[in-house]
Amino acid sequence: MTVLAEPKSDVIAAAAADTGVDFSLTEDQELLRDEVRRFAEQRIRPGVAERDREHRFPLDVFQEMGEMGLLGMLVPEEYGGAGTDTLSYLLAIEEVARVDPAVAVTMSVTNSVCCWPIVRFGSEALKRKVLPALAAGQTLGGFGLTEPGAGSDAGSLKTTARRDGAAGDHWILNGEKAWITNAGFAGWYVVVARTNPEAGKRGLSAFVVPGDAPGFSVGQPEEKLGLRSSRTAQIYFTDCRVPAENLLGEEGQGLKIALATLGHSRLGIAAQSVGIHQRALELAVAYAKDRVQFGVPIADHQAIQFKIAQIATELAAARALTHGAGAAEHTSQAGRLAAQAKVYASEAANRACWESLQIHGGNGFHEDYEISRLYRDVRVTTIYEGTSEMQRLVIARSLLAR
């Protein structure tokens, strides 16, 4: 079988330029974006198809990303992080996702749902104990909210935490969490558990659990449709002992912390979706120019031109909405805008991959072509960090003030 060559650099440049929105990036933001793009092409792209087939976690890549500061982008410099702004972080996620969405999700989880809540809600001592190693890439981060019986309904989770010791100097956790990205590789996990069974949703608290805590264990890796070179598994707590000072925020703030964390991390999933969308467009353009049918490149056929035009238009809209939501992160509308960015960018990326594969025809159904992997990888973007249905609920409730 003949495998289509990688799109030429001029095709990629033209596709990127024609679909971007001028947000007047600073010189530092442009330099960061270009540096991450080079790194992604030179260090992440080689072997990406093999890692996907073998379900192989690229630990060496993450170690290099840590050295570059990409795993501590949202961590202030005083704790060893890069202290970058939100837009810079989104630009970096987009560039990594364009090459390998599986690497991007590990990067996003460490930054958005592990480091970010610790920065925002952690005590000074907890920040200094946990953040430097995460920011340096010496270990990765994880987030434990979802359970086998508690997905969108986070308030119904069953994992418990009770105080132990004469002075209450430890918490004892029991239960399990499902679909945990970086499970087994993460050194720290932000975990939400029930500390007051009588208080309903207000009886939840958040903890920072070390991966080597007594009573902590990791299940077998999940066999996933996409993102196969990322690690996802269940984690278990069996009388798991956690120091009292590892309580994140105050007791009873667990749901508040979880929802705030998800609200922020949706920006990262939107950026991941934009990166996948960008690559789907590049592949569609390159294939349409290369593939000849009825004596001419299929790019000469109006049906194909209309598909590419629609992919490009929705990409520009998704990128604008994502960057705009990032700029509004500290406003009163941040939650709604993040939900809008996430739901639109993820669904648009799914449509883009569908249409790009359609343009590839039968070849797109073969794993020798990159679009087949993107088609699998993109599907989960409308599910994790809150399904599209939950995003629409967040948006509607915000607009209706409910």
Side-chain angles (χ1 to χ4, degrees), residues 128-148:
R128 295 198 177 278
K129 179 168 72 172
V130 175
L131 292 175
L134 287 167
Q138 296 170 2
T139 189
L140 297 171
F143 180 67
L145 178 65
T146 300
E147 296 180 358

Side-chain angles (χ1 to χ4, degrees), residues 17-62:
D18 288 345
T19 58
V21 176
D22 181 11
F23 281 87
S24 298
L25 300 180
T26 67
E27 182 178 355
D28 287 343
Q29 288 169 338
E30 290 181 346
L31 289 172
L32 172 67
R33 179 198 60 198
D34 294 345
E35 180 182 5
V36 176
R37 183 177 296 170
R38 283 193 296 270
F39 176 80
E41 287 291 348
Q42 295 172 8
R43 292 293 298 118
I44 299 178
R45 187 174 295 284
V48 62
E50 290 77 8
R51 292 195 302 267
D52 177 75
R53 283 195 294 269
E54 298 168 5
H55 296 216
R56 176 161 46 87
F57 190 79
L59 191 58
D60 56 334
V61 169
F62 294 116

Side-chain angles (χ1 to χ4, degrees), residues 193-246:
R194 189 170 298 283
T195 51
N196 184 350
E198 308 302 322
K201 294 180 180 180
R202 297 186 180 184
L204 306 177
S205 301
F207 302 87
V208 180
V209 180
D212 59 357
F216 176 88
S217 60
V218 179
Q220 291 297 311
E222 302 288 359
E223 296 289 337
K224 307 190 299 291
L225 172 69
L227 303 178
R228 292 177 176 174
S229 64
S230 70
R231 174 65 64 85
T232 309
Q234 291 192 198
I235 57 176
Y236 303 93
F237 308 95
T238 307
D239 292 332
C240 178
R241 295 179 62 83
V242 177
E245 60 266 25
N246 283 29

